[in-house]
């Protein structure tokens, strides 16, 4: 029990320190694919430090909601991070139905982000908020259903229980197709939630094509630092859900498990970078179709489970 | 104990009559109804808490002068649980109502409103206590008619008259089905007393269908819900809050009461309930998203939450035939959602009422920036919005958490022959998740369009926070949202005994231990919420500390370099709903219109969307038009001469005589 | 034997009321009907009649055979009409209907389950035919005075049914019913007067102008 607690604490600390590095991996991959050098390895950290040193400009239209948005987003991201298991060990906080708390904490963060965007009275931010609300409404069922499928396969209703048991390779044989479908759904949800191509382009400067970037258009300085850091934590937390399926190892040795987890996270980010380099962004009207595909994928497991 | 119940009903009646007689007394005329309501609630609270704490059900029989039926009041666990929202919400709503109506300045209608409000609340309590079929119908009619008179408060307005008429027809159509159901049961079981209805007289399936339609008309199941979006906007806001939060729950109570009397719950009942849950939940939230009248939107949102409750009930039906705590959790979740919805929906309606009264319009797209002028109301409305989206740590999350958990449990492999629970759980999870996401979209739209940004028109320019008489009730309700959410574990313990004793569950003999474990599990959520609150506070202080010595300026919102942005360029409520209108075009059949801009340098143009309800438009209106045509032709029977009418009487009497002699 | 004679006379009187068009004939008919029904009540009763029974019957006879017909004749004279004009159902058809009704009431009286100690079913038939005669007059005649006469005939029939079924209500109830009838006809007389004054006629089918 104590060992589990410290293992989980170590995992969370690792996340807090290493999360911005994930963005480095993605950007470097994209740069290399485009034939460029790419930014320095610690660029995200320096960027965060720079933002934290700045002052602030607040719009006269905004109220306390605007100032609350980034804070609540980051706090809920901490909470979600504490619920995701790392390296086959139980998470810091685990109980039956913890996936619900995680999903709804993310929803809480999103709620405040959307309201902060609407608070500015800008039509751009309203546009981004609208799309964010719509797409996440369509992607959340895929996430919850996918976890339900994993639960049906492993026989547990707790994230830590599921991912702890996935290491048992007995499941792979009989339920491989179901797990592949769930994995595909999770990957699409991952790309949506983290505003990656093909859903959203994090590097575009055209507001009409943005979703997440346009929602934070008016934030600056410390607020923007909070938001970017929360984004990095989301990359980590949701990434753990995917790597737990693809590389489920529980060799019994904590350091080996942690190492495998980190390595698989790095591989995931490189894959994301590859996807971003090789695909273009989807037409905005096609995104619901993609999310619909994710939903259908996350439902197909029922055919293998209920036979 | 029974004495307190009678006393409570009596206080409702007397305070109502006193309001009619002495409502305009300058000193304490307006205090009669709220204090009467509070006193009656306190009286009723004693037996309710006694029963919930494990006491024996309270029973009362009295003499009855009619040849059929009996005066039999019975307060058991189910009635006590449903009485909780009535007792909690009605005094708060009454206190709000005095301040709200005072600003309307219609003294005669206000007295009548006070009388009918007491009659409505007393009627609801009476419905929950009635344990005889005829007494139940009597109480049901009292409740429905009192609500009708409250809906037509502003009776000169044409829209209000129409809304009242639709409500009247709908409630009586539902009551007709209930009438048929009770007559069927009475004739099969020999008496109208609920105690004799055990096993539902062997016609359980027919009774179930009649109950679903009859009680569903009151509860607002999709398809039978067409009166909700008409009646709730027309009524004064405190009445809307009471009706939406508490009155529609009496429909759920009736359905549960009928189900409890059955010997067994077949699986197809579960599918019916889940089907209703999907239709109401998704239909309600999608229609809510495209409304631009604030109170209509909240009314559709009530339909959505009734859908969630039905999903829980359906899951519970499946759970009865499977192992594990599925049935218990699902039933507990549905029951908890009944209480929680009453609290946050009435908070929403009361807050909306304050806003509407201050700005003078219900149109969302004419508002904006209200938060700066009414900060207190805005903050309370935010709490209620977060609660209705089911966000932790508020109370909307508790009920949904249990229903989700039940569904997750039922999906697990259990080695049972029937796949119904697993498929049912799967369907419920996907529906709940979709509903939750769309509800978040809906309520961010509402809050954003009304309170945030800049004002889109001059409507809200003189808005201020209402006085204490209207803001204290809303504060209490919002505080209850937070308290019930953080204290979810305690709520679960409270509902455990209720859910466990609901009849077929008791047959399957679950102990309450799983729910106790669930309540211990929920402590984790409470802990996480407290840690979250600490984190928010900590980060806020961190930011203040970091910005302490630095330059913090204000300026206009970034307009991408365009210097002439106007408030009308903001995203409106309709803009927010546009993806939904596009995605669900066939279900909504919205009408889009207005002058589109044409040519280069266009002048004035306009845009409007309008979504009439699908069921109203395509089903009920043509149906009633057909009835009207038939009825017009049948008017020829009414000749006007007395001798023709006496002839009809003679004919009928002779026919009866001959028939009885044959 | 006497009661059979009375019943036969009663049937004849009722048939006369079906077929006549003269209003004073109707009034005489209803008075005769009342007289015959009182006789029937006396004759068909088994055992002696108590003194209160005698008082009651004589009061009834007085009111129904003398007082009420006189009131109605007076109303008739002040209205100044003699005959029913253009009834809704013609006189020959009425007579035919009367015959059918007579047969029906005999059949119905035979079918009805009677309590023990009840009188001859023919008495019940007589009561039934009186009731139906009264109702027919209300339905099928135009003048308001015919309605009053029909009401009185109906009440006569109801009145005799109770002793025929050997149901003895308390005296006060029976007196009350008598009072009802008296007051009803009195009021009808007054109203007929007023209708005549206001509208210059007493045809009730013109009242149908008031319908929806």
């Amino acid at each position: 029990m104590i060992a589990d607690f410290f293992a989980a604490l170590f995992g969370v600390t690792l996340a807090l320190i290493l999360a911005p590095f994930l963005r480095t991996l993605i950007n470097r991959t994209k740069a290399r694919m485009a034939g460029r050098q790419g930014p320095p390895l610690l660029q995200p950290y320096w960027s965060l430090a720079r933002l934290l040193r700045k002052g602030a400009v607040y719009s006269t239209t905004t109220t306390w909601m605007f100032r609350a948005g980034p804070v609540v987003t980051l706090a809920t991201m901490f909470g979600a991070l504490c619920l995701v298991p790392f390296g086959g060990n139980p998470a810091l906080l685990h109980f039956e139905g913890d996936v619900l708390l995680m999903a709804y904490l993310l929803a809480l963060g999103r709620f405040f982000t959307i309201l902060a965007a609407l608070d500015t009275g800008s039509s751009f931010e309203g546009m981004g908020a609208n799309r964010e609300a719509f797409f996440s409404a369509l992607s959340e069922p895929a996430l919850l259903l996918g976890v339900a499928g994993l639960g049906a396969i492993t026989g547990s209703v707790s994230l830590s229980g599921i991912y702890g048991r996935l290491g048992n390779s007995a499941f792979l044989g009989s339920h491989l197709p179901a797990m592949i479908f769930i994995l595909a759904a999770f990957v699409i949800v991952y790309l949506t939630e983290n505003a990656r191509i093909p859903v959203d382009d994090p590097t575009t400067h055209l507001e009409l094509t943005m979703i997440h970037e346009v929602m934070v258009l008016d934030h600056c300085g410390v607020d923007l630092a909070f938001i970017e850091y929360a984004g990095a934590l989301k990359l980590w937390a949701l990434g753990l859900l995917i790597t737990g399926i693809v590389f489920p190892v529980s060799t019994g040795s904590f350091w080996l498990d942690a190492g495998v987890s980190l390595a698989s996270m790095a591989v995931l980010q490189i894959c994301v970078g590859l996807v971003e380099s090789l695909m273009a962004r989807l037409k905005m009207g096609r995104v619901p179709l993609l999310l619909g595909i994710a939903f259908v994928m996350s439902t197909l497991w029922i055919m293998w489970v209920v036979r | 104990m029974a004495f307190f119940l009678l006393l409570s009903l009596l206080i409702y009646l007397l305070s109502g009559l006193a309001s009619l007689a002495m409502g305009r007394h300058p000193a304490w005329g307006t205090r009669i109804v709220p204090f009467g309501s509070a006193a009656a609630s306190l009286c009723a609270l004693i037996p309710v808490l006694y029963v919930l704490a494990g006491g024996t059900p309270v029973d009362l029989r009295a003499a009855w002068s009619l040849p059929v039926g009996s005066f039999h009041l019975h307060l058991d666990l189910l009635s006590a649980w449903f009485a909780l929202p009535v007792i909690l919400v009605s005094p708060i709503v009454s206190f709000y109502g005095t301040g709200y109506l005072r600003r309307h300045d219609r003294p005669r209608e206000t007295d009548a409103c006070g009388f009918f409000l007491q009659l409505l609340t007393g009627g609801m309590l009476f419905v929950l206590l009635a344990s005889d079929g005829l007494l139940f119908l009597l109480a049901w009619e009292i409740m429905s008619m009192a609500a009708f008179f409250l809906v037509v408060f502003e009776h000169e307005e044409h829209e209000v008259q129409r809304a009242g008429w639709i409500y009247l027809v709908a409630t009586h159509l539902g009551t007709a089905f209930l009438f048929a159901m009770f007559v069927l049961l009475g004739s099969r079981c020999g008496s109208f007393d609920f105690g004799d209805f055990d096993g539902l007289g062997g016609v359980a399936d027919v009774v179930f269908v009649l109950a679903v339609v009859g009680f569903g008309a009151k509860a607002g199941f999709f398809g039978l819900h067409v009166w909700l979006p008409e009646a709730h906007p027309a009524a004064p806001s405190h009445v809307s809050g009471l009706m939406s939060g508490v009155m529609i729950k009496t429909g759920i109570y009736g359905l549960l009461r009928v189900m409890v009397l059955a010997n067994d719950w077949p699986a197809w009942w579960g599918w019916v309930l889940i089907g209703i849950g999907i239709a109401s939940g998704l239909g309600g939230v999608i229609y809510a998203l495209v409304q631009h009248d604030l109170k209509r939107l909240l009314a559709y949102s009530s339909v959505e939450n009734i859908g969630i409750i039905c999903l829980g009930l359906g899951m519970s039906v499946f759970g009865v035939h499977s192992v594990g705590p599925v049935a218990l959790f699902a039933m507990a979740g549905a029951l908890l959602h009944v209480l929680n919805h009453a609290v946050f929906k009435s908070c929403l309606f009361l807050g909306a009422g304050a806003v509407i009264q201050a700005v003078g319009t219900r149109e969302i797209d004419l508002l904006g920036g209200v938060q700066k002028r009414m900060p207190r109301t805005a903050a309370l409305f935010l709490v209620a919005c977060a609660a209705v989206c089911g966000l932790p740590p508020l109370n909307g999350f508790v009920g949904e958490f249990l229903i989700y958990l039940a569904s997750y449990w039922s999906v697990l492999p259990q080695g049972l022959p029937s796949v119904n629970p697993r498929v049912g759980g799967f369907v419920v999870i996907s529906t709940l998740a979709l509903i939750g996401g769309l509800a978040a979209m809906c309520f961010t739209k509402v809050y954003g369009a009304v309170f945030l940004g800049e004002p889109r028109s001059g409507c809200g320019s003189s808005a201020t926070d209402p006085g204490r008489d209207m803001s204290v009730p809303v504060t209490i309700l919002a505080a209850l949202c937070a308290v019930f959410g953080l204290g979810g574990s305690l709520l679960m313990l409270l509902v455990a005994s209720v859910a466990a004793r609901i009849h077929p569950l008791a047959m399957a003999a679950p102990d309450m231990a799983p729910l106790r474990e669930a309540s211990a599990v929920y402590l984790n959520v409470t802990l996480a919420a407290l840690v979250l609150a600490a984190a928010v506070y900590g980060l806020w202080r961190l930011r203040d500390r970091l910005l302490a010595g630095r330059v913090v300026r204000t300026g206009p919102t970034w307009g991408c370099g365009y210097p002439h942005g106007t408030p009308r360029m903001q995203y409106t409520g309709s803009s927010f709903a546009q993806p939904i209108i596009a995605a669900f075009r066939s279900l909504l059949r919205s009408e889009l219109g207005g002058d589109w801009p044409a040519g280069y340098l266009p002048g004035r143009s306009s845009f409007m969307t309008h979504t009439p309800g699908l069921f109203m438009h395509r089903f009920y209106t043509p149906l009633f038009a057909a009835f009207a045509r038939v009825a017009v032709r049948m008017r020829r029977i009414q000749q006007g001469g007395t001798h023709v009418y006496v002839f009809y009487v003679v004919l009928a009497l002779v026919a009866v005589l001959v028939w009885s002699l044959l | 034997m006497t009661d059979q004679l009375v019943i036969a006379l009663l049937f004849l009187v009722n048939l006369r009321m079906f077929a006549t068009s003269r209003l004073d004939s109707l009034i005489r008919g209803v008075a005769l009907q009342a007289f015959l029904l009182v006789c029937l009540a006396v004759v068909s009763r088994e055992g002696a009649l108590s003194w209160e029974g005698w008082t009651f019957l004589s009061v009834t006879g007085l009111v129904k055979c003398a007082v009420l017909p006189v009131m109605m004749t007076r109303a008739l004279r002040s209205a100044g009409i003699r005959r029913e004009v253009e009834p809704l159902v013609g006189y020959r058809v009425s007579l035919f209907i009367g015959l059918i009704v007579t047969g029906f009431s005999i059949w119905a009286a035979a079918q009805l389950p009677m309590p023990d100690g009840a009188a001859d079913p023919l008495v019940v038939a007589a009561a039934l035919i009186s009731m139906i005669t009264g109702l027919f007059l209300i339905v099928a005649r135009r003048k308001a005075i015919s309605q009053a006469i029909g009401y009185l005939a109906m009440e006569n029939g109801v009145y005799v049914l109770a002793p025929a079924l050997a149901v003895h209500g308390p005296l006060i109830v029976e007196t009350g019913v008598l009072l009802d009838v008296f007051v009803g006809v009195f009021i009808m007389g007054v109203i007929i007067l007023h209708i005549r004054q206001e509208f210059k006629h007493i045809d009730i089918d013109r009242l149908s102008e008031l319908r929806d």
Side-chain angles (χ1 to χ4, degrees):
Chain A
M1 273 292 297
I2 299 287
D4 279 343
F5 175 75
F6 277 112
L9 194 61
F10 179 73
V12 170
T13 321
L14 217 57
L16 291 176
I17 299 174
L18 288 180
F21 191 71
L22 297 179
R23 207 165 265 168
T24 313
L25 285 171
I26 301 177
N27 289 338
R28 273 283 186 137
T29 315
K30 280 166 47 170
R32 283 297 159 88
M33 289 290 294
R36 295 184 276 117
Q37 264 279 45
L41 282 175
L42 294 180
Q43 180 60 37
Y45 294 95
W46 291 336
S47 170
L48 281 175
R50 172 181 54 96
L51 286 172
L52 285 172
R53 279 199 297 267
K54 288 193 161 192
V57 181
Y58 287 112
S59 160
T60 46
T61 315
T62 60
T63 62
W64 60 266
M65 179 70 72
F66 187 74
R67 292 152 181 76
V71 170
V72 173
T73 311
L74 187 54
T76 54
M77 214 51 240
F78 278 146
L81 196 62
C82 295
L83 288 165
V84 183
F86 175 76
N89 296 309
L92 206 52
L93 190 64
H94 61 274
F95 53 90
E96 273 137 16
D98 52 11
V99 63
L100 296 166
L101 185 62
M102 190 192 86
Y104 274 86
L105 277 177
L106 290 177
L108 182 64
R110 206 180 298 125
F111 187 77
F112 273 90
T113 311
I114 293 176
L115 287 181
L118 289 172
D119 198 19
T120 59
S122 150
S123 35
F124 299 118
E125 305 211 14
M127 212 187 297
N130 181 25
R131 292 167 187 165
E132 168 75 6
F134 185 52
F135 295 155
S136 64
L138 296 179
S139 69
E140 204 180 296
L143 182 68
L144 287 175
L145 267 180
V147 174
L150 288 175
I153 294 173
T154 56
S156 160
V157 291
S158 156
L159 274 178
S160 306
I162 292 173
Y163 282 91
R165 290 184 212 181
L166 272 178
N168 185 350
S169 59
F171 298 116
L172 276 160
S174 51
H175 294 282
L176 190 60
M179 288 176 64
I180 290 179
F181 280 122
I182 297 178
L183 183 66
F186 275 8
V187 166
I188 298 178
V189 168
Y190 187 72
L191 293 173
T192 311
E193 289 279 342
N194 291 298
R196 297 278 138 199
I197 292 178
V199 175
D200 184 13
D201 189 351
T203 60
T204 182
H205 302 291
L206 302 169
E207 288 86 359
L208 286 172
T209 59
M210 291 189 229
I211 304 175
H212 283 84
E213 284 299 310
V214 75
M215 276 205 296
V216 299
L217 211 51
D218 251 60
H219 291 283
C220 57
V222 181
D223 290 327
L224 193 57
F226 283 175
I227 291 174
E228 289 203 352
Y229 189 57
L233 287 180
K234 195 188 267 194
L235 270 177
W236 185 282
L238 291 179
L240 278 180
L241 289 181
I242 294 182
T243 58
I245 302 179
V246 178
F247 296 102
V249 277
S250 48
T251 55
S253 154
F254 168 70
W255 295 106
L256 202 56
D257 288 341
V260 170
S261 214
L262 284 176
S264 53
M265 183 70 79
V267 168
L268 175 65
Q269 301 310 318
I270 294 175
C271 291
V272 170
L274 285 173
V275 165
E276 292 222 321
S277 312
L278 297 172
M279 279 186 75
R281 226 209 60 187
L282 276 182
K283 219 165 94 153
M284 190 66 73
R286 295 291 199 92
V287 175
L289 188 62
L290 181 70
L291 292 172
I293 292 175
F295 182 77
V296 168
M297 297 274 202
S298 66
T299 60
L300 287 176
W301 55 262
I302 192 110
M303 294 200 298
W304 276 268
V305 167
V306 182
R307 239 174 321 163
Chain B
M1 282 296 150
F3 163 72
F4 284 111
L5 292 174
L6 282 178
L7 185 63
S8 169
L9 289 174
L10 196 65
I11 293 179
Y12 277 124
L13 184 64
L14 288 178
S15 58
L17 289 170
S19 161
L20 264 185
M22 300 187 281
R24 273 178 255 182
H25 193 281
W28 40 263
T30 50
R31 306 267 179 90
I32 299 177
V33 164
F35 282 104
S37 194
S41 284
L42 273 175
C43 284
L45 192 64
I46 299 171
V48 162
L49 284 181
Y50 171 74
V51 169
L52 282 175
T56 52
V58 177
D59 202 272
L60 173 74
R61 285 180 201 262
W64 180 249
S65 51
L66 295 180
V68 284
S70 62
F71 190 87
H72 182 193
L73 298 182
H74 187 73
L75 183 73
D76 61 355
L77 278 169
L78 187 63
S79 305
W81 180 261
F82 277 88
L84 270 183
V86 178
I87 294 174
L88 270 179
V89 173
S90 52
I92 300 176
V93 161
S94 294
F95 275 101
Y96 177 92
T98 43
Y100 181 80
L101 291 176
R102 193 185 14 246
R103 289 165 181 77
H104 264 263
D105 198 26
R106 289 164 180 251
R108 203 169 44 142
E109 281 90 344
T110 308
D111 298 339
C113 192
F115 171 64
F116 286 116
L117 194 66
Q118 296 301 82
L119 211 60
L120 174 63
T121 320
M124 285 193 283
L125 195 60
F126 200 9
V127 163
L128 296 174
L129 292 174
S131 187
D132 175 272
L134 279 185
L135 196 67
F136 187 91
L137 284 172
L138 179 69
W140 192 260
E141 266 305 293
I142 292 176
M143 178 183 80
S144 308
M145 292 309 292
F148 166 72
F149 284 110
L150 286 170
V151 165
V152 291
F153 177 74
E154 296 180 15
H155 49 84
E156 315 85 33
E157 307 273 334
H158 174 65
E159 281 173 19
V160 173
Q161 287 171 7
R162 177 174 171 268
W165 178 242
I166 292 176
Y167 167 72
L168 196 63
V169 172
T171 187
H172 280 107
L173 279 180
T175 311
F177 278 90
L178 291 183
F179 209 79
M181 179 185 84
F182 278 116
V183 164
L184 178 65
L185 278 173
S187 64
R188 299 287 300 213
C189 303
S191 94
F192 284 108
D193 195 284
F194 282 5
D196 298 328
F197 281 171
D198 236 355
L200 290 182
V203 283
D205 291 335
V206 178
V207 169
F208 178 71
V209 171
L210 287 174
V212 162
V213 177
F215 287 119
K218 176 67 71 185
F221 292 170
F222 199 74
L224 302 165
H225 70 288
V226 288
W227 61 272
L228 262 168
E230 310 286 341
H232 284 126
S237 299
H238 64 298
V239 171
S240 309
L242 193 62
M243 280 171 71
S244 197
V246 190
M247 193 180 80
I248 58 184
K249 301 308 176 355
T250 55
I252 302 283
Y253 164 76
L255 185 61
L256 263 179
R257 177 62 71 191
V258 166
M259 284 170 72
V260 161
L261 290 166
N263 275 329
D264 188 26
W265 292 350
W268 73 268
W269 286 17
W271 283 116
V272 166
L273 283 171
I274 286 190
I276 293 173
I278 295 177
S280 308
L282 284 178
V285 77
I286 289 172
Y287 271 97
L289 263 167
V290 299
Q291 300 300 323
H292 37 84
D293 177 327
L294 182 56
K295 285 170 78 168
R296 255 180 107 96
L297 187 148
L298 291 177
Y300 273 113
S301 169
S302 294
V303 175
E304 166 219 329
N305 280 286
I306 291 287
I308 295 178
I309 296 175
C310 283
L311 285 175
L313 291 181
M315 206 59 234
S316 175
V317 169
F318 285 140
V320 168
H321 293 287
S322 71
V323 300
V326 176
L328 192 62
F329 279 1
M331 182 63 75
L335 289 174
L336 272 176
H337 206 73
V338 164
L339 178 63
N340 290 328
H341 178 246
V343 172
F344 60 65
K345 188 44 69 71
S346 35
C347 184
L348 278 173
F349 265 108
L350 297 189
V355 169
I356 292 172
Q357 213 171 43
V359 303
T361 175
R362 295 202 304 250
E363 278 287 322
I364 294 176
D365 291 335
L366 292 176
L367 298 173
V370 177
Q371 183 169 24
K372 293 202 202 56
R373 294 191 181 86
M374 303 175 69
R376 213 172 353 154
T377 313
L380 297 171
F381 200 84
L382 180 68
V383 172
C385 276
V388 82
C389 296
L391 297 175
L394 298 171
N395 59 354
F397 183 62
V398 183
E400 289 189 27
F401 179 75
L402 278 175
I403 300 177
Y404 266 122
L405 202 53
S407 315
Y408 272 96
W409 273 116
S410 78
V411 168
L412 293 189
Q414 289 168 34
L416 285 174
S418 160
V419 343
N420 275 328
R422 306 190 80 184
V423 179
F426 164 81
V427 167
V428 167
I429 293 175
S430 43
T431 314
L432 270 180
L434 197 55
I435 293 176
L438 289 173
M441 189 172 174
C442 180
F443 280 93
T444 47
K445 160 190 153 160
V446 170
Y447 193 81
V450 173
F451 289 99
L452 300 177
E454 293 284 348
R456 291 179 183 81
S457 70
C459 275
S461 49
S462 59
T464 50
D465 261 326
R468 226 177 40 178
D469 49 359
M470 277 169 69
S471 54
V472 167
V474 186
T475 316
I476 294 178
L477 283 173
L480 277 179
C481 285
V483 163
F484 281 177
L486 285 172
S489 306
L490 290 173
L491 274 186
M492 284 188 200
L493 285 176
L494 195 61
V495 84
S497 51
V498 182
R501 298 280 175 78
I502 294 189
H503 184 71
L505 295 184
M507 297 272 279
D511 48 329
M512 304 194 293
L515 206 53
R516 294 225 169 83
E517 282 167 26
S519 125
V521 152
Y522 200 81
L523 280 176
N524 286 311
V525 175
T526 313
L527 180 69
L530 294 172
V531 169
L532 190 74
V536 167
Y537 179 72
L539 284 170
W540 198 296
R541 298 285 300 173
L542 175 65
R543 179 177 58 194
D544 286 343
R545 180 82 79 70
L546 283 172
L547 291 176
R550 301 181 196 162
V551 178
V552 175
R553 291 185 290 124
T554 58
T557 304
W558 170 243
C560 203
Y562 181 67
H564 296 297
T566 68
R568 289 305 307 274
M569 290 179 179
Q570 291 172 104
Y571 243 54
T572 61
S574 313
S575 331
F576 221 80
Q578 186 270 338
I580 297 293
I581 295 183
F584 294 102
R585 209 173 310 125
S586 51
L587 178 66
L588 291 171
R589 298 185 196 264
S590 300
E591 296 151 9
L592 310 174
D595 307 313
W596 300 105
Y600 306 107
L601 302 178
R604 265 188 102 75
S605 47
S606 66
F607 174 74
M608 88 116 209
T609 63
H610 177 57
T611 313
L614 182 72
F615 263 91
M616 186 66 133
H617 213 50
R618 297 286 160 135
F619 180 65
Y620 287 107
T621 312
L623 185 71
F624 287 128
F627 269 135
R629 280 196 297 276
V630 171
V632 164
R633 270 187 231 130
M634 284 182 68
R635 271 174 89 187
R636 276 192 238 137
I637 296 181
Q638 187 195 24
Q639 290 289 333
T642 43
H643 41 276
V644 181
Y645 298 152
V646 175
F647 180 59
Y648 292 151
V649 171
V650 173
L651 210 58
L653 286 174
V654 169
V656 171
L657 180 65
V658 172
W659 182 39
S660 63
L661 291 181
L662 283 175
Chain C
M1 222 273 308
T2 343
D3 50 347
Q4 302 295 318
L5 189 62
V6 173
I7 290 173
L9 280 175
L10 206 53
F11 283 147
L12 284 176
V13 169
N14 280 320
L15 281 176
R16 170 90 169 117
M17 281 169 71
F18 267 101
T20 184
S21 67
R22 298 178 50 193
L23 289 170
D24 51 347
S25 175
L26 270 180
I27 296 175
R28 269 206 295 274
V30 80
L32 195 57
Q33 192 188 47
F35 178 69
L36 285 174
L37 285 169
V38 168
C39 292
L40 196 59
V42 170
V43 163
S44 66
R45 192 183 286 268
E46 289 154 20
L49 214 57
S50 59
W51 69 270
E52 48 184 29
W54 273 113
T55 327
F56 179 67
L57 275 176
S58 39
V59 169
T60 312
L62 195 65
V63 169
K64 288 203 173 180
C65 305
V67 175
L68 289 178
V70 164
M71 273 168 53
M72 284 197 286
T73 317
R74 212 177 282 165
L76 197 61
R77 213 169 289 154
S78 68
I81 45 171
R82 291 288 182 86
R83 281 180 183 268
E84 177 82 39
V85 179
E86 278 179 41
L88 290 163
V89 181
Y91 297 111
R92 267 185 279 224
V93 180
S94 302
L95 189 56
F96 187 63
I97 291 177
L99 286 172
I100 295 178
V101 164
T102 310
F104 168 75
S105 32
I106 295 175
W107 171 78
Q111 295 291 318
L112 281 170
M114 289 292 170
D116 296 327
D120 193 2
L122 272 183
V123 177
V124 178
L128 269 177
I129 180 104
S130 302
M131 272 193 267
I132 299 181
T133 309
L135 284 170
F136 181 80
L137 285 176
I138 293 176
V139 171
R141 298 286 179 258
R142 238 182 246 243
K143 295 272 184 253
I145 194 101
S146 311
Q147 313 268 304
I149 293 167
Y151 172 68
L152 201 53
M154 191 175 77
E155 286 289 331
N156 286 340
V158 172
Y159 220 68
V160 84
L161 200 56
L165 293 175
V167 171
H168 296 288
L171 199 60
I172 191 89
V173 173
E174 303 197 9
T175 322
V177 175
L178 183 61
L179 187 64
D180 271 340
V181 177
F182 178 77
V183 171
V185 178
F186 181 72
I187 290 177
M188 276 191 237
V190 171
I191 288 179
I192 288 172
L193 198 64
H194 282 252
I195 292 177
R196 163 82 176 141
Q197 279 174 346
E198 185 64 35
F199 295 105
K200 309 290 184 292
H201 69 82
I202 51 171
D203 290 348
I204 55 156
D205 67 331
R206 303 253 199 118
L207 289 175
S208 67
E209 301 287 318
L210 297 170
R211 78 165 162 161
D212 201 358

